[in-house]
Amino acid sequence: MEERISTKRRVRIALLWVLMGLAAATTCALVLFLAVYVMAKGVPEITWTLLSTRPSYLTGNIGILPDILNTVYIIIAALVLVIPLGAGAAVYLTEYAKNRKLAAVIEYAAETLSGIPSIIYGLVGMLFFCSFLDMQTSLLAGALTLVIMNLPTVMRTTQESLKTVPQSYRDGAFGLGAGKWRVIRTVVLPGCVDGIVTGCILSVGRILGESAALLFTAGFAHTVHGFFEGLSNSGATLTVALYFYAKEEGEFGVAFAIAAILMILTLVIQLAAMLAGRYFKRRRGR
Amino acid sequence: MKKKAFENFVYGVFLLLGLITVGCVLLITVYLIVSGLPAIRQIGLGEFLLGRTWASTAADPRFGILPFILTSVYGTAGAIALGVPAGFLTAVYLAKAAPPKVKAAVSAAVSVLAGIPSVVYGLVGMLVLVPGIRTAFHVPDGASLLAAIVVLAVMILPSIVNVSITALEAVPREYEDASLALGAAPTETWFRVSVPAARSGIAAAVVLGVGRAIGEAMAVMMVSGNVANMPSLFESVRFLTTAVASEMSYSSGLQRQALFSIALVLYLFILLINGTLNFFLKRGGRD
């Protein structure tokens, strides 16, 4: 067979293989380079002092404890709000929505939301939460902005998992005389746990990497607060702190230390998402 | 009857939750229009969109955003020109040619690339790419449109790869089998049969990449130099996104309103891109 293929065709095939190989190799090389470079530059800069202190102009100390805490606070606050909202919207779409047009409008709105760049979220968040609702520049305003941003993600993953709840379960429950709410509470909601977990993992990843939406909503401050006090005060997350130290201060060591931490957390989240996906798939298979 | 009232109440709550996304889109749209229009009206639409000078803090301020619009368009086009061929070929390789183990490894690498925060791209770009461009092309400053294009190309790569793979894997097996049975080599089949069959999905991938590139702010801000020049490959430039971000913290009055107008222009671009994306996705679903 092989020898019947003309030389011209064989050259073209070989060329396509070379191009595909080059492209795939470039992609892998990029990832390797980024990971190795950031780790090599950043990991040696991570010290206990850096992680456990706050910055002070008096002593010239640089510490990222407040930024770590702010990131944790903002993730918790955003998730607490986005889970019920996103899951609720998904339940409405799959369980209640009889009006196809309304459902289509909601889906279209969700798609639009997921395409809007974060800088626009930041701007509207600043106008609406900080100015109009008078929250000032605060972690809460930042968290609320992130809630809107991550709504489509949680909604979509929950919807996906609700689709896997067999219709016969619902029919069975209705047949036994259960009301709509009871069916949702006992049959539908337990079925969407995996979607919510996946949505949470994805959202945490996005919040961790987000910076443009937080610049004008959560601000730049580096003070250590408790959770509730922290929410009402301005504060930089790790990404915003990275930007600040690299661009405004020229402290590249600190910037790389934060970058390495972010990189490690990103890898952990990827792994968590992969393992969760595999676990849920296996459980569903049974 | 009490139960009925309760069920209605629950229905109301879920309806409200369902409508939240619509409310958010309306909120964003209304806010951008309301805060974006006054400056455009004051400056004049033609002067605002086609003016070639942006001097917001000068004694005689000028608010022309043509440099930002063109920079965003050129930057996105450049990123697409670099990122799409690489992403497309990687996707064909992963979807059709790669052995399962290689596929799993490269796919994992691609999702890592997608997860890296944009400030990290910006940081690496600032310290590797910018000095690299300066020495390679003998220009005084490497912070330029070219640096932004390269960073954006890398950042849109994962979206292009993932969406293209999904499209390529959805091509019916029969198409490929028929082509193979007619004597085409596997490679010829992938490029002559599978790719054309998946063209809607691949077009969607490109449009998604355009959306990502035009909306990116932080990474671009860190590598593009941020001066409001007309775009040129080795000049320091400012994008629509970075124009909003860089002056917002100290702006006031008409300057601040003009920044909202820039955001409105960016939002219109994004809506246009979303519309195009939906068109391709719908067509892909129908084929």
Side-chain angles (χ1 to χ4, degrees):
Chain A
M1 278 303 277
E2 274 304 312
E3 56 269 20
R4 280 203 218 147
I5 295 179
S6 69
T7 323
K8 200 174 142 199
R9 274 175 72 192
R10 215 174 293 163
V11 168
R12 197 182 295 150
I13 289 170
L15 193 71
L16 284 172
W17 270 96
V18 169
L19 286 176
M20 281 194 297
L22 265 180
T26 313
T27 310
C28 292
L30 274 171
V31 179
L32 266 183
F33 166 74
L34 279 165
V36 171
Y37 182 77
V38 169
M39 291 298 175
K41 288 270 226 174
V43 171
E45 303 279 344
I46 303 176
T47 59
W48 179 243
T49 332
L50 182 78
L51 294 178
S52 64
T53 58
R54 59 197 180 81
S56 154
Y57 284 112
L58 284 177
T59 57
N61 179 47
I62 293 181
I64 57 168
L65 178 66
D67 311 319
I68 297 175
L69 288 177
N70 287 335
T71 311
V72 173
Y73 295 164
I74 222 166
I75 289 177
I76 294 174
L79 283 189
V80 163
L81 290 168
V82 81
I83 293 169
L85 296 181
V91 168
Y92 175 77
L93 278 181
T94 38
E95 305 301 321
Y96 281 104
K98 290 195 197 77
N99 186 340
R100 294 288 295 275
K101 263 202 184 126
L102 182 63
V105 168
I106 293 174
E107 300 251 14
Y108 190 77
E111 274 164 35
T112 310
L113 277 186
S114 58
I116 294 176
S118 47
I119 183 83
I120 289 193
Y121 280 108
L123 205 67
V124 175
M126 181 187 83
L127 287 170
F128 184 69
F129 295 120
C130 302
S131 306
F132 183 72
L133 295 183
D134 202 24
M135 290 182 191
Q136 308 301 338
T137 312
S138 63
L139 283 185
L140 184 62
L144 288 171
T145 310
L146 291 177
V147 167
I148 305 181
M149 262 182 91
N150 286 295
L151 207 55
T153 315
V154 176
M155 219 174 115
R156 203 189 50 240
T157 54
T158 312
Q159 258 181 301
E160 291 295 320
S161 69
L162 282 179
K163 276 183 199 150
T164 65
V165 176
Q167 185 59 36
S168 56
Y169 288 16
R170 298 185 184 100
D171 295 342
F174 281 126
L176 290 171
K180 184 97 183 171
W181 167 238
R182 200 179 173 86
V183 173
I184 288 180
R185 191 164 51 90
T186 55
V187 176
V188 174
L189 285 182
C192 66
V193 169
D194 48 349
I196 292 176
V197 171
T198 315
C200 279
I201 297 175
L202 293 178
S203 300
V204 169
R206 264 186 91 179
I207 296 171
L208 201 65
E210 187 48 58
S211 41
L214 294 173
L215 273 182
F216 314 119
T217 51
F220 287 101
H222 300 286
T223 30
V224 177
H225 292 291
F227 180 67
F228 289 103
E229 202 189 346
L231 282 184
S232 57
N233 278 287
S234 152
T237 60
L238 282 169
T239 41
V240 174
L242 192 170
Y243 172 77
F244 175 75
Y245 283 122
K247 195 89 202 308
E248 315 283 331
E249 303 267 288
E251 291 280 359
F252 292 116
V254 183
F256 268 112
I258 301 176
I261 294 171
L262 286 171
M263 202 82 171
I264 294 167
L265 291 176
T266 308
L267 289 177
V268 169
I269 288 167
Q270 296 286 343
L271 207 66
M274 216 172 71
L275 291 178
R278 212 175 275 170
Y279 172 75
F280 291 133
K281 206 175 195 177
R282 208 174 45 216
R283 209 184 51 177
R284 214 172 286 149
R286 272 214 301 267
Chain B
M1 270 309 101
K2 203 176 157 196
K3 194 176 167 195
K4 180 91 183 163
F6 178 70
E7 289 293 346
N8 280 337
F9 169 73
V10 173
Y11 173 77
V13 169
F14 277 112
L15 176 65
L16 213 63
L17 290 174
L19 287 174
I20 278 184
T21 50
V22 183
C24 290
V25 172
L26 286 179
L27 179 89
I28 291 172
T29 312
V30 168
Y31 255 93
L32 283 174
I33 292 176
V34 168
S35 50
L37 277 185
I40 294 183
R41 207 172 283 158
Q42 196 170 335
I43 299 161
L45 186 63
E47 166 69 24
F48 182 68
L49 289 180
L50 301 174
R52 301 167 74 94
T53 8
W54 173 267
S56 56
T57 47
D60 173 28
R62 302 285 298 275
F63 298 99
I65 64 162
L66 189 64
F68 308 152
I69 295 179
L70 287 183
T71 303
S72 276
V73 171
Y74 291 174
T76 304
I80 290 294
L82 285 180
V84 166
F88 164 71
L89 287 164
T90 307
V92 177
Y93 176 72
L94 289 182
K96 303 292 171 192
K101 275 202 177 139
V102 178
K103 183 181 172 182
V106 181
S107 301
V110 171
S111 51
V112 169
L113 209 57
I116 297 177
S118 53
V119 280
V120 174
Y121 281 109
L123 180 68
V124 176
M126 243 171 118
L127 292 183
V128 177
L129 201 57
V130 169
I133 288 176
R134 191 178 56 214
T135 42
F137 297 99
H138 306 289
V139 284
D141 188 2
S144 58
L145 180 59
L146 180 63
I149 286 176
V150 175
V151 169
L152 286 176
V154 177
M155 290 183 74
I156 63 173
L157 199 59
S159 328
I160 292 173
V161 173
N162 286 332
V163 179
S164 303
I165 287 184
T166 313
L168 284 165
E169 281 178 346
V171 173
R173 203 43 221 273
E174 292 79 23
Y175 291 14
E176 286 160 17
D177 288 346
S179 159
L180 292 171
L182 286 171
T187 319
E188 291 169 324
T189 304
W190 302 328
F191 282 92
R192 296 248 170 122
V193 176
S194 314
V195 169
R199 63 181 181 278
S200 283
I202 294 171
V206 175
V207 180
L208 187 69
V210 171
R212 286 279 141 81
I214 212 163
E216 178 51 44
M218 301 304 281
V220 161
M221 186 129 103
M222 292 168 87
V223 299
S224 68
N226 222 2
V227 180
N229 288 323
M230 286 300 267
S232 151
L233 209 50
F234 295 107
E235 289 275 355
S236 170
V237 289
R238 204 184 270 191
F239 290 69
L240 283 169
T241 48
T242 54
V244 177
S246 57
E247 289 186 18
M248 188 50 79
S249 51
Y250 58 83
S251 62
S252 59
L254 182 61
Q255 179 197 5
R256 194 176 180 82
Q257 287 182 322
L259 297 183
F260 295 143
S261 311
I262 298 178
L264 179 61
V265 172
L266 178 64
Y267 187 60
L268 293 179
F269 268 105
I270 291 289
L271 287 184
L272 191 74
I273 292 165
N274 274 353
T276 323
L277 183 65
N278 270 317
F279 168 76
F280 281 123
L281 284 178
K282 287 239 172 66
R283 211 174 65 172
R286 216 180 46 219
D287 276 354

